[in-house]
Amino acid sequence: MGYTLPDLPYAYDALEPHISAKTFEFHHDKHHAAYVNNYNTMVKDAGMDDKSIEEVIKAAYNDSSKTGLFNNAAQAWNHTFFWNSMKPGGGGTPTGAVAEKINADFGSYDKFKEEFKKAAVSQFGSGWAWLVLDNGTLKVVNSPNAVNPLALGMTPLLTCDVWEHAYYLDYQNRRPDFVETFINSLINWDFVNQQMAA
Ligand code: MN3
């Protein structure tokens, strides 16, 4: 199935001063758009056009002849998920079911925050930090390049893009500052609660 580049779920400048409109103009309109375009060409060439993008991600991950298809499928999906993982005025202490689950599975919100920041900062080179459900337990994981927890049998709930293109215009080399801002000011906990309920 073809995949459509979604609009951002907020205005380009809605997350300023944390993420600039300039970053979104490149990150959404150029980077994300390119992954979606590549995916739409490659999924047809692979004869897998009848599958959902999630099915393609899972199938292509374990097929060494489909690395390019996997990378573009996962990056198309990951970026949509990342846009939805943030909102204006977000971040800070969660509410709802995920708040209780974080306390149960991590011990406290502060412990979650510490683990998420460590995962995001320690991912060497390009990749992603995730909050996932793994067999019913919340976990923080990181992944290199395009890798998506769906391919590893986990359910993604939240993600932070730690490729340099996600933060370089606004934070240059200061990835820890970007991650701290993501946690404190950007996380869309409503979206996380929706993913948990799905
Ligand atoms: Mn990116």
Side-chain angles (χ1 to χ4, degrees), residues 115-125 129 142 162 175-176 179:
E115 282 197 33
F116 193 88
K117 189 169 179 183
K118 188 173 157 203
V121 170
S122 68
Q123 173 57 46
F124 185 78
N142 54 22
V162 295
R175 189 194 287 186
V179 173

Side-chain angles (χ1 to χ4, degrees), residues 27 79 128 161 163 165:
H27 202 176
H79 282 88
W128 300 82
D161 187 344
W163 286 55
H165 67 225

